[in-house]
PDB file of all heavy atoms in Angstrom:
ATOM      1  N   TRP A   1      87.273  97.937  57.342  1.00 76.00           N
ATOM      2  CA  TRP A   1      87.680  97.819  58.750  1.00 76.00           C
ATOM      3  C   TRP A   1      86.454  98.004  59.666  1.00 76.00           C
ATOM      4  O   TRP A   1      86.404  97.282  60.705  1.00 76.00           O
ATOM      5  CB  TRP A   1      88.718  98.892  59.093  1.00 76.00           C
ATOM      6  CG  TRP A   1      89.189  98.707  60.485  1.00 76.00           C
ATOM      7  CD1 TRP A   1      88.886  99.472  61.559  1.00 76.00           C
ATOM      8  CD2 TRP A   1      90.023  97.651  61.000  1.00 76.00           C
ATOM      9  NE1 TRP A   1      89.477  98.987  62.689  1.00 76.00           N
ATOM     10  CE2 TRP A   1      90.188  97.839  62.407  1.00 76.00           C
ATOM     11  CE3 TRP A   1      90.655  96.549  60.427  1.00 76.00           C
ATOM     12  CZ2 TRP A   1      90.973  97.014  63.168  1.00 76.00           C
ATOM     13  CZ3 TRP A   1      91.429  95.740  61.204  1.00 76.00           C
ATOM     14  CH2 TRP A   1      91.547  95.945  62.604  1.00 76.00           C
ATOM     15  N   GLY A   2      85.518  98.783  59.354  1.00 75.00           N
ATOM     16  CA  GLY A   2      84.352  98.975  60.214  1.00 75.00           C
ATOM     17  C   GLY A   2      83.579  97.685  60.440  1.00 75.00           C
ATOM     18  O   GLY A   2      82.951  97.455  61.440  1.00 75.00           O
ATOM     19  N   VAL A   3      83.641  96.810  59.393  1.00 76.00           N
ATOM     20  CA  VAL A   3      82.907  95.545  59.476  1.00 76.00           C
ATOM     21  C   VAL A   3      83.706  94.464  60.269  1.00 76.00           C
ATOM     22  O   VAL A   3      83.108  93.651  60.961  1.00 76.00           O
ATOM     23  CB  VAL A   3      82.578  95.013  58.066  1.00 76.00           C
ATOM     24  CG1 VAL A   3      81.866  93.705  58.109  1.00 76.00           C
ATOM     25  CG2 VAL A   3      81.789  96.058  57.329  1.00 76.00           C
ATOM     26  N   ILE A   4      85.050  94.512  60.144  1.00 81.00           N
ATOM     27  CA  ILE A   4      85.829  93.470  60.751  1.00 81.00           C
ATOM     28  C   ILE A   4      86.610  93.943  61.974  1.00 81.00           C
ATOM     29  O   ILE A   4      87.483  93.202  62.526  1.00 81.00           O
ATOM     30  CB  ILE A   4      86.826  92.856  59.730  1.00 81.00           C
ATOM     31  CG1 ILE A   4      87.808  93.847  59.247  1.00 81.00           C
ATOM     32  CG2 ILE A   4      86.059  92.167  58.595  1.00 81.00           C
ATOM     33  CD1 ILE A   4      88.959  93.270  58.443  1.00 81.00           C
ATOM     34  N   ALA A   5      86.345  95.121  62.437  1.00 86.00           N
ATOM     35  CA  ALA A   5      87.078  95.629  63.601  1.00 86.00           C
ATOM     36  C   ALA A   5      86.871  94.679  64.795  1.00 86.00           C
ATOM     37  O   ALA A   5      85.744  94.278  65.106  1.00 86.00           O
ATOM     38  CB  ALA A   5      86.588  97.017  63.997  1.00 86.00           C
ATOM     39  N   PRO A   6      87.970  94.293  65.496  1.00 90.00           N
ATOM     40  CA  PRO A   6      87.818  93.339  66.533  1.00 90.00           C
ATOM     41  C   PRO A   6      87.198  93.911  67.799  1.00 90.00           C
ATOM     42  O   PRO A   6      87.309  95.094  68.058  1.00 90.00           O
ATOM     43  CB  PRO A   6      89.268  92.921  66.844  1.00 90.00           C
ATOM     44  CG  PRO A   6      90.067  94.093  66.431  1.00 90.00           C
ATOM     45  CD  PRO A   6      89.350  94.674  65.245  1.00 90.00           C
ATOM     46  N   MET A   7      86.554  93.073  68.574  1.00 94.00           N
ATOM     47  CA  MET A   7      86.017  93.462  69.862  1.00 94.00           C
ATOM     48  C   MET A   7      87.133  93.283  70.872  1.00 94.00           C
ATOM     49  O   MET A   7      87.283  92.231  71.445  1.00 94.00           O
ATOM     50  CB  MET A   7      84.785  92.626  70.244  1.00 94.00           C
ATOM     51  CG  MET A   7      83.603  92.887  69.384  1.00 94.00           C
ATOM     52  SD  MET A   7      82.119  91.882  69.696  1.00 94.00           S
ATOM     53  CE  MET A   7      82.276  91.260  71.354  1.00 94.00           C
ATOM     54  N   LEU A   8      87.933  94.308  71.083  1.00 95.00           N
ATOM     55  CA  LEU A   8      89.078  94.204  71.979  1.00 95.00           C
ATOM     56  C   LEU A   8      88.664  94.009  73.411  1.00 95.00           C
ATOM     57  O   LEU A   8      89.552  93.703  74.260  1.00 95.00           O
ATOM     58  CB  LEU A   8      89.950  95.451  71.798  1.00 95.00           C
ATOM     59  CG  LEU A   8      90.534  95.642  70.415  1.00 95.00           C
ATOM     60  CD1 LEU A   8      91.379  96.950  70.375  1.00 95.00           C
ATOM     61  CD2 LEU A   8      91.438  94.456  70.015  1.00 95.00           C
ATOM     62  N   SER A   9      87.441  94.185  73.745  1.00 96.00           N
ATOM     63  CA  SER A   9      86.966  93.978  75.107  1.00 96.00           C
ATOM     64  C   SER A   9      87.029  92.491  75.508  1.00 96.00           C
ATOM     65  O   SER A   9      87.246  92.140  76.622  1.00 96.00           O
ATOM     66  CB  SER A   9      85.595  94.499  75.271  1.00 96.00           C
ATOM     67  OG  SER A   9      84.663  93.884  74.348  1.00 96.00           O
ATOM     68  N   LEU A  10      86.888  91.619  74.508  1.00 97.00           N
ATOM     69  CA  LEU A  10      86.874  90.180  74.795  1.00 97.00           C
ATOM     70  C   LEU A  10      88.219  89.671  75.345  1.00 97.00           C
ATOM     71  O   LEU A  10      88.231  88.989  76.366  1.00 97.00           O
ATOM     72  CB  LEU A  10      86.486  89.350  73.548  1.00 97.00           C
ATOM     73  CG  LEU A  10      84.967  89.308  73.241  1.00 97.00           C
ATOM     74  CD1 LEU A  10      84.729  88.547  71.944  1.00 97.00           C
ATOM     75  CD2 LEU A  10      84.196  88.709  74.386  1.00 97.00           C
ATOM     76  N   PRO A  11      89.359  89.975  74.715  1.00 97.00           N
ATOM     77  CA  PRO A  11      90.624  89.528  75.307  1.00 97.00           C
ATOM     78  C   PRO A  11      90.844  90.165  76.711  1.00 97.00           C
ATOM     79  O   PRO A  11      91.396  89.532  77.593  1.00 97.00           O
ATOM     80  CB  PRO A  11      91.686  90.016  74.306  1.00 97.00           C
ATOM     81  CG  PRO A  11      91.012  90.345  73.076  1.00 97.00           C
ATOM     82  CD  PRO A  11      89.572  90.618  73.388  1.00 97.00           C
ATOM     83  N   ALA A  12      90.440  91.387  76.867  1.00 97.00           N
ATOM     84  CA  ALA A  12      90.621  92.040  78.186  1.00 97.00           C
ATOM     85  C   ALA A  12      89.743  91.360  79.251  1.00 97.00           C
ATOM     86  O   ALA A  12      90.217  91.112  80.355  1.00 97.00           O
ATOM     87  CB  ALA A  12      90.298  93.522  78.100  1.00 97.00           C
ATOM     88  N   ILE A  13      88.474  91.096  78.950  1.00 97.00           N
ATOM     89  CA  ILE A  13      87.610  90.422  79.904  1.00 97.00           C
ATOM     90  C   ILE A  13      88.163  89.024  80.193  1.00 97.00           C
ATOM     91  O   ILE A  13      88.173  88.610  81.347  1.00 97.00           O
ATOM     92  CB  ILE A  13      86.188  90.334  79.354  1.00 97.00           C
ATOM     93  CG1 ILE A  13      85.522  91.724  79.369  1.00 97.00           C
ATOM     94  CG2 ILE A  13      85.344  89.380  80.147  1.00 97.00           C
ATOM     95  CD1 ILE A  13      85.242  92.293  80.748  1.00 97.00           C
ATOM     96  N   PHE A  14      88.663  88.364  79.193  1.00 97.00           N
ATOM     97  CA  PHE A  14      89.252  87.019  79.414  1.00 97.00           C
ATOM     98  C   PHE A  14      90.446  87.151  80.322  1.00 97.00           C
ATOM     99  O   PHE A  14      90.547  86.381  81.304  1.00 97.00           O
ATOM    100  CB  PHE A  14      89.679  86.394  78.048  1.00 97.00           C
ATOM    101  CG  PHE A  14      90.333  85.061  78.191  1.00 97.00           C
ATOM    102  CD1 PHE A  14      89.545  83.939  78.202  1.00 97.00           C
ATOM    103  CD2 PHE A  14      91.693  84.922  78.305  1.00 97.00           C
ATOM    104  CE1 PHE A  14      90.121  82.662  78.341  1.00 97.00           C
ATOM    105  CE2 PHE A  14      92.270  83.684  78.436  1.00 97.00           C
ATOM    106  CZ  PHE A  14      91.500  82.571  78.459  1.00 97.00           C
ATOM    107  N   TYR A  15      91.314  88.106  80.079  1.00 97.00           N
ATOM    108  CA  TYR A  15      92.536  88.265  80.912  1.00 97.00           C
ATOM    109  C   TYR A  15      92.183  88.526  82.375  1.00 97.00           C
ATOM    110  O   TYR A  15      92.657  87.881  83.279  1.00 97.00           O
ATOM    111  CB  TYR A  15      93.400  89.374  80.362  1.00 97.00           C
ATOM    112  CG  TYR A  15      94.657  89.586  81.202  1.00 97.00           C
ATOM    113  CD1 TYR A  15      95.792  88.810  80.991  1.00 97.00           C
ATOM    114  CD2 TYR A  15      94.676  90.430  82.272  1.00 97.00           C
ATOM    115  CE1 TYR A  15      96.909  88.946  81.770  1.00 97.00           C
ATOM    116  CE2 TYR A  15      95.784  90.608  83.095  1.00 97.00           C
ATOM    117  CZ  TYR A  15      96.921  89.830  82.802  1.00 97.00           C
ATOM    118  OH  TYR A  15      98.013  89.979  83.637  1.00 97.00           O
ATOM    119  N   TRP A  16      91.324  89.500  82.593  1.00 96.00           N
ATOM    120  CA  TRP A  16      90.973  89.844  83.950  1.00 96.00           C
ATOM    121  C   TRP A  16      90.165  88.778  84.635  1.00 96.00           C
ATOM    122  O   TRP A  16      90.271  88.608  85.864  1.00 96.00           O
ATOM    123  CB  TRP A  16      90.260  91.178  84.007  1.00 96.00           C
ATOM    124  CG  TRP A  16      91.173  92.312  83.620  1.00 96.00           C
ATOM    125  CD1 TRP A  16      91.032  93.152  82.525  1.00 96.00           C
ATOM    126  CD2 TRP A  16      92.376  92.734  84.224  1.00 96.00           C
ATOM    127  NE1 TRP A  16      92.060  94.040  82.464  1.00 96.00           N
ATOM    128  CE2 TRP A  16      92.927  93.834  83.532  1.00 96.00           C
ATOM    129  CE3 TRP A  16      93.047  92.319  85.395  1.00 96.00           C
ATOM    130  CZ2 TRP A  16      94.086  94.445  83.883  1.00 96.00           C
ATOM    131  CZ3 TRP A  16      94.253  92.953  85.772  1.00 96.00           C
ATOM    132  CH2 TRP A  16      94.743  93.997  84.995  1.00 96.00           C
ATOM    133  N   ALA A  17      89.332  88.041  83.883  1.00 96.00           N
ATOM    134  CA  ALA A  17      88.557  86.925  84.504  1.00 96.00           C
ATOM    135  C   ALA A  17      89.461  85.812  84.969  1.00 96.00           C
ATOM    136  O   ALA A  17      89.210  85.126  85.936  1.00 96.00           O
ATOM    137  CB  ALA A  17      87.545  86.406  83.530  1.00 96.00           C
ATOM    138  N   VAL A  18      90.617  85.663  84.271  1.00 95.00           N
ATOM    139  CA  VAL A  18      91.596  84.628  84.696  1.00 95.00           C
ATOM    140  C   VAL A  18      92.431  85.112  85.887  1.00 95.00           C
ATOM    141  O   VAL A  18      92.591  84.399  86.874  1.00 95.00           O
ATOM    142  CB  VAL A  18      92.479  84.204  83.518  1.00 95.00           C
ATOM    143  CG1 VAL A  18      93.664  83.395  84.010  1.00 95.00           C
ATOM    144  CG2 VAL A  18      91.710  83.472  82.477  1.00 95.00           C
ATOM    145  N   HIS A  19      92.934  86.355  85.745  1.00 93.00           N
ATOM    146  CA  HIS A  19      93.946  86.809  86.678  1.00 93.00           C
ATOM    147  C   HIS A  19      93.359  87.542  87.902  1.00 93.00           C
ATOM    148  O   HIS A  19      93.909  87.485  89.012  1.00 93.00           O
ATOM    149  CB  HIS A  19      94.957  87.684  86.009  1.00 93.00           C
ATOM    150  CG  HIS A  19      95.734  86.911  85.006  1.00 93.00           C
ATOM    151  ND1 HIS A  19      96.769  86.079  85.344  1.00 93.00           N
ATOM    152  CD2 HIS A  19      95.637  86.790  83.670  1.00 93.00           C
ATOM    153  CE1 HIS A  19      97.296  85.487  84.264  1.00 93.00           C
ATOM    154  NE2 HIS A  19      96.589  85.927  83.244  1.00 93.00           N
ATOM    155  N   ARG A  20      92.324  88.350  87.743  1.00 92.00           N
ATOM    156  CA  ARG A  20      91.725  89.113  88.825  1.00 92.00           C
ATOM    157  C   ARG A  20      90.205  89.191  88.642  1.00 92.00           C
ATOM    158  O   ARG A  20      89.652  90.291  88.372  1.00 92.00           O
ATOM    159  CB  ARG A  20      92.308  90.514  88.938  1.00 92.00           C
ATOM    160  CG  ARG A  20      93.743  90.607  89.363  1.00 92.00           C
ATOM    161  CD  ARG A  20      94.022  90.016  90.735  1.00 92.00           C
ATOM    162  NE  ARG A  20      93.269  90.611  91.832  1.00 92.00           N
ATOM    163  CZ  ARG A  20      93.717  91.629  92.608  1.00 92.00           C
ATOM    164  NH1 ARG A  20      94.964  92.069  92.405  1.00 92.00           N
ATOM    165  NH2 ARG A  20      92.981  92.096  93.534  1.00 92.00           N
ATOM    166  N   PRO A  21      89.469  88.075  88.732  1.00 92.00           N
ATOM    167  CA  PRO A  21      88.045  88.110  88.494  1.00 92.00           C
ATOM    168  C   PRO A  21      87.299  88.984  89.512  1.00 92.00           C
ATOM    169  O   PRO A  21      86.189  89.460  89.219  1.00 92.00           O
ATOM    170  CB  PRO A  21      87.615  86.637  88.609  1.00 92.00           C
ATOM    171  CG  PRO A  21      88.711  85.987  89.345  1.00 92.00           C
ATOM    172  CD  PRO A  21      89.941  86.745  89.073  1.00 92.00           C
ATOM    173  N   ASP A  22      87.877  89.253  90.660  1.00 91.00           N
ATOM    174  CA  ASP A  22      87.270  90.070  91.660  1.00 91.00           C
ATOM    175  C   ASP A  22      87.196  91.541  91.217  1.00 91.00           C
ATOM    176  O   ASP A  22      86.375  92.287  91.743  1.00 91.00           O
ATOM    177  CB  ASP A  22      87.994  89.957  93.023  1.00 91.00           C
ATOM    178  CG  ASP A  22      89.458  90.312  92.886  1.00 91.00           C
ATOM    179  OD1 ASP A  22      90.102  89.907  91.935  1.00 91.00           O
ATOM    180  OD2 ASP A  22      89.979  90.961  93.795  1.00 91.00           O
ATOM    181  N   LEU A  23      88.053  91.935  90.295  1.00 92.00           N
ATOM    182  CA  LEU A  23      88.111  93.358  89.951  1.00 92.00           C
ATOM    183  C   LEU A  23      87.247  93.724  88.722  1.00 92.00           C
ATOM    184  O   LEU A  23      87.030  94.901  88.441  1.00 92.00           O
ATOM    185  CB  LEU A  23      89.569  93.787  89.688  1.00 92.00           C
ATOM    186  CG  LEU A  23      90.491  93.665  90.909  1.00 92.00           C
ATOM    187  CD1 LEU A  23      91.870  94.152  90.560  1.00 92.00           C
ATOM    188  CD2 LEU A  23      89.931  94.441  92.080  1.00 92.00           C
ATOM    189  N   VAL A  24      86.775  92.707  88.018  1.00 94.00           N
ATOM    190  CA  VAL A  24      85.777  92.980  86.969  1.00 94.00           C
ATOM    191  C   VAL A  24      84.633  92.007  87.197  1.00 94.00           C
ATOM    192  O   VAL A  24      84.560  90.960  86.570  1.00 94.00           O
ATOM    193  CB  VAL A  24      86.421  92.716  85.538  1.00 94.00           C
ATOM    194  CG1 VAL A  24      85.357  93.079  84.448  1.00 94.00           C
ATOM    195  CG2 VAL A  24      87.633  93.571  85.345  1.00 94.00           C
ATOM    196  N   PRO A  25      83.747  92.369  88.144  1.00 94.00           N
ATOM    197  CA  PRO A  25      82.612  91.490  88.469  1.00 94.00           C
ATOM    198  C   PRO A  25      81.622  91.437  87.310  1.00 94.00           C
ATOM    199  O   PRO A  25      81.654  92.240  86.334  1.00 94.00           O
ATOM    200  CB  PRO A  25      82.026  92.160  89.677  1.00 94.00           C
ATOM    201  CG  PRO A  25      82.409  93.556  89.646  1.00 94.00           C
ATOM    202  CD  PRO A  25      83.739  93.601  88.934  1.00 94.00           C
ATOM    203  N   ALA A  26      80.696  90.523  87.380  1.00 95.00           N
ATOM    204  CA  ALA A  26      79.678  90.358  86.332  1.00 95.00           C
ATOM    205  C   ALA A  26      78.930  91.644  86.088  1.00 95.00           C
ATOM    206  O   ALA A  26      78.665  91.947  84.894  1.00 95.00           O
ATOM    207  CB  ALA A  26      78.738  89.224  86.725  1.00 95.00           C
ATOM    208  N   SER A  27      78.551  92.325  87.108  1.00 95.00           N
ATOM    209  CA  SER A  27      77.824  93.576  86.897  1.00 95.00           C
ATOM    210  C   SER A  27      78.591  94.592  86.049  1.00 95.00           C
ATOM    211  O   SER A  27      78.043  95.287  85.212  1.00 95.00           O
ATOM    212  CB  SER A  27      77.392  94.174  88.241  1.00 95.00           C
ATOM    213  OG  SER A  27      78.569  94.442  89.005  1.00 95.00           O
ATOM    214  N   MET A  28      79.896  94.660  86.278  1.00 96.00           N
ATOM    215  CA  MET A  28      80.717  95.624  85.555  1.00 96.00           C
ATOM    216  C   MET A  28      80.879  95.126  84.125  1.00 96.00           C
ATOM    217  O   MET A  28      80.863  95.940  83.183  1.00 96.00           O
ATOM    218  CB  MET A  28      82.040  95.803  86.253  1.00 96.00           C
ATOM    219  CG  MET A  28      82.859  96.922  85.657  1.00 96.00           C
ATOM    220  SD  MET A  28      82.061  98.514  85.513  1.00 96.00           S
ATOM    221  CE  MET A  28      81.862  98.991  87.171  1.00 96.00           C
ATOM    222  N   ALA A  29      81.047  93.826  83.928  1.00 97.00           N
ATOM    223  CA  ALA A  29      81.170  93.259  82.588  1.00 97.00           C
ATOM    224  C   ALA A  29      79.903  93.600  81.781  1.00 97.00           C
ATOM    225  O   ALA A  29      79.967  93.989  80.606  1.00 97.00           O
ATOM    226  CB  ALA A  29      81.390  91.815  82.599  1.00 97.00           C
ATOM    227  N   PHE A  30      78.746  93.510  82.436  1.00 97.00           N
ATOM    228  CA  PHE A  30      77.469  93.800  81.790  1.00 97.00           C
ATOM    229  C   PHE A  30      77.361  95.278  81.415  1.00 97.00           C
ATOM    230  O   PHE A  30      77.049  95.629  80.272  1.00 97.00           O
ATOM    231  CB  PHE A  30      76.318  93.411  82.703  1.00 97.00           C
ATOM    232  CG  PHE A  30      74.970  93.636  82.106  1.00 97.00           C
ATOM    233  CD1 PHE A  30      74.494  92.737  81.174  1.00 97.00           C
ATOM    234  CD2 PHE A  30      74.210  94.741  82.427  1.00 97.00           C
ATOM    235  CE1 PHE A  30      73.222  92.964  80.596  1.00 97.00           C
ATOM    236  CE2 PHE A  30      72.986  94.944  81.870  1.00 97.00           C
ATOM    237  CZ  PHE A  30      72.481  94.058  80.923  1.00 97.00           C
ATOM    238  N   LEU A  31      77.750  96.168  82.345  1.00 97.00           N
ATOM    239  CA  LEU A  31      77.714  97.625  82.052  1.00 97.00           C
ATOM    240  C   LEU A  31      78.698  97.999  80.940  1.00 97.00           C
ATOM    241  O   LEU A  31      78.375  98.788  80.090  1.00 97.00           O
ATOM    242  CB  LEU A  31      78.001  98.388  83.335  1.00 97.00           C
ATOM    243  CG  LEU A  31      76.939  98.380  84.381  1.00 97.00           C
ATOM    244  CD1 LEU A  31      77.407  99.072  85.623  1.00 97.00           C
ATOM    245  CD2 LEU A  31      75.643  98.980  83.893  1.00 97.00           C
ATOM    246  N   LEU A  32      79.883  97.389  80.962  1.00 97.00           N
ATOM    247  CA  LEU A  32      80.854  97.661  79.910  1.00 97.00           C
ATOM    248  C   LEU A  32      80.300  97.180  78.567  1.00 97.00           C
ATOM    249  O   LEU A  32      80.514  97.827  77.547  1.00 97.00           O
ATOM    250  CB  LEU A  32      82.188  97.014  80.224  1.00 97.00           C
ATOM    251  CG  LEU A  32      82.992  97.704  81.338  1.00 97.00           C
ATOM    252  CD1 LEU A  32      84.112  96.753  81.832  1.00 97.00           C
ATOM    253  CD2 LEU A  32      83.559  98.993  80.884  1.00 97.00           C
ATOM    254  N   GLY A  33      79.640  96.038  78.601  1.00 97.00           N
ATOM    255  CA  GLY A  33      79.029  95.537  77.354  1.00 97.00           C
ATOM    256  C   GLY A  33      77.944  96.401  76.809  1.00 97.00           C
ATOM    257  O   GLY A  33      77.831  96.605  75.616  1.00 97.00           O
ATOM    258  N   LEU A  34      77.128  96.982  77.708  1.00 97.00           N
ATOM    259  CA  LEU A  34      76.107  97.965  77.289  1.00 97.00           C
ATOM    260  C   LEU A  34      76.735  99.165  76.658  1.00 97.00           C
ATOM    261  O   LEU A  34      76.292  99.695  75.637  1.00 97.00           O
ATOM    262  CB  LEU A  34      75.204  98.332  78.473  1.00 97.00           C
ATOM    263  CG  LEU A  34      74.159  97.315  78.898  1.00 97.00           C
ATOM    264  CD1 LEU A  34      73.399  97.852  80.114  1.00 97.00           C
ATOM    265  CD2 LEU A  34      73.207  96.939  77.797  1.00 97.00           C
ATOM    266  N   PHE A  35      77.807  99.662  77.345  1.00 97.00           N
ATOM    267  CA  PHE A  35      78.520 100.783  76.772  1.00 97.00           C
ATOM    268  C   PHE A  35      79.109 100.467  75.383  1.00 97.00           C
ATOM    269  O   PHE A  35      78.971 101.306  74.426  1.00 97.00           O
ATOM    270  CB  PHE A  35      79.655 101.254  77.699  1.00 97.00           C
ATOM    271  CG  PHE A  35      80.461 102.375  77.160  1.00 97.00           C
ATOM    272  CD1 PHE A  35      79.981 103.641  77.110  1.00 97.00           C
ATOM    273  CD2 PHE A  35      81.748 102.139  76.692  1.00 97.00           C
ATOM    274  CE1 PHE A  35      80.712 104.734  76.584  1.00 97.00           C
ATOM    275  CE2 PHE A  35      82.527 103.157  76.162  1.00 97.00           C
ATOM    276  CZ  PHE A  35      82.016 104.443  76.137  1.00 97.00           C
ATOM    277  N   GLN A  36      79.641  99.263  75.259  1.00 96.00           N
ATOM    278  CA  GLN A  36      80.204  98.820  73.938  1.00 96.00           C
ATOM    279  C   GLN A  36      79.119  98.792  72.920  1.00 96.00           C
ATOM    280  O   GLN A  36      79.314  99.254  71.754  1.00 96.00           O
ATOM    281  CB  GLN A  36      80.845  97.474  74.114  1.00 96.00           C
ATOM    282  CG  GLN A  36      81.348  96.876  72.861  1.00 96.00           C
ATOM    283  CD  GLN A  36      82.033  95.549  73.109  1.00 96.00           C
ATOM    284  OE1 GLN A  36      83.171  95.518  73.520  1.00 96.00           O
ATOM    285  NE2 GLN A  36      81.331  94.471  72.840  1.00 96.00           N
ATOM    286  N   ASP A  37      77.958  98.224  73.272  1.00 96.00           N
ATOM    287  CA  ASP A  37      76.828  98.202  72.316  1.00 96.00           C
ATOM    288  C   ASP A  37      76.427  99.614  71.906  1.00 96.00           C
ATOM    289  O   ASP A  37      76.183  99.848  70.700  1.00 96.00           O
ATOM    290  CB  ASP A  37      75.619  97.492  72.935  1.00 96.00           C
ATOM    291  CG  ASP A  37      75.825  96.007  73.111  1.00 96.00           C
ATOM    292  OD1 ASP A  37      76.689  95.452  72.420  1.00 96.00           O
ATOM    293  OD2 ASP A  37      75.141  95.431  73.978  1.00 96.00           O
ATOM    294  N   ALA A  38      76.328 100.519  72.834  1.00 96.00           N
ATOM    295  CA  ALA A  38      75.910 101.870  72.526  1.00 96.00           C
ATOM    296  C   ALA A  38      76.934 102.570  71.653  1.00 96.00           C
ATOM    297  O   ALA A  38      76.562 103.275  70.689  1.00 96.00           O
ATOM    298  CB  ALA A  38      75.710 102.660  73.798  1.00 96.00           C
ATOM    299  N   ILE A  39      78.185 102.375  71.896  1.00 95.00           N
ATOM    300  CA  ILE A  39      79.213 103.092  71.119  1.00 95.00           C
ATOM    301  C   ILE A  39      79.455 102.444  69.739  1.00 95.00           C
ATOM    302  O   ILE A  39      79.813 103.186  68.830  1.00 95.00           O
ATOM    303  CB  ILE A  39      80.484 103.243  71.973  1.00 95.00           C
ATOM    304  CG1 ILE A  39      81.345 104.372  71.401  1.00 95.00           C
ATOM    305  CG2 ILE A  39      81.298 101.982  72.000  1.00 95.00           C
ATOM    306  CD1 ILE A  39      82.444 104.803  72.335  1.00 95.00           C
ATOM    307  N   LEU A  40      79.300 101.160  69.649  1.00 92.00           N
ATOM    308  CA  LEU A  40      79.604 100.476  68.360  1.00 92.00           C
ATOM    309  C   LEU A  40      78.316 100.316  67.516  1.00 92.00           C
ATOM    310  O   LEU A  40      78.415  99.970  66.339  1.00 92.00           O
ATOM    311  CB  LEU A  40      80.174  99.077  68.599  1.00 92.00           C
ATOM    312  CG  LEU A  40      81.592  99.073  69.255  1.00 92.00           C
ATOM    313  CD1 LEU A  40      82.026  97.630  69.466  1.00 92.00           C
ATOM    314  CD2 LEU A  40      82.562  99.830  68.399  1.00 92.00           C
TER     315      LEU A  40
END
C-alpha cells in the first residue's frame, strides 16, 4: 500500500479548480504540494 497509495490531493485540487478556483489559488496549491512532498 505504501507504494500504490493514491495522491488524494489531485482529485481535490481538480474539484476546487473547477468549482471554486478562487479559493485554492496557485500559491496555495504550490504550498500544499510542498507539504505533501515533505510528508510523503
Side-chain angles (χ1 to χ4, degrees):
W1 183 254
V3 179
I4 64 169
M7 290 177 23
L8 297 178
S9 57
L10 283 177
I13 290 289
F14 180 87
Y15 179 87
W16 293 117
V18 169
H19 296 281
R20 291 301 300 266
D22 57 318
L23 297 182
V24 183
S27 57
M28 189 53 67
F30 183 78
L31 290 174
L32 288 165
L34 284 178
F35 176 74
Q36 176 178 280
D37 290 337
I39 201 167
L40 295 179

